[in-house]
Amino acid sequence: MTLRACRPSCRPSPAPIPVEIVIAGGFGVGKTTAVGAMSEIPPLTAEAEMTSAAVGIDDPGPGSTR
């Protein structure tokens, strides 16, 4: 019986380590865009257009088309 050394490629890889990432920021700063750029799948969004009731109260920021 001959014993052969196991190469690194035949060793089982370690189990993946789950991580959680928190992305926080103000309105319209690019949080969804950042997630979309890093993700392999399109992110689920729950964003809605501002209503006329919010005009003058909520500031959409300089990147807004409104």
Side-chain angles (χ1 to χ4, degrees):
M1 178 179 190
T2 305
L3 295 176
R4 288 184 267 164
C6 182
R7 287 174 267 141
S9 61
C10 68
R11 292 189 184 122
S13 56
I17 299 171
V19 296
E20 291 184 21
I21 299 173
V22 176
I23 298 178
F27 180 76
V29 297
K31 298 177 298 291
T32 303
T33 303
V35 170
M38 292 184 278
S39 179
E40 295 177 352
I41 59 173
L44 176 66
T45 61
E47 297 175 358
E49 290 292 322
M50 288 178 52
T51 64
S52 59
V55 173
I57 299 171
D58 293 331
D59 178 18
S64 175
T65 58
R66 204 160 200 288

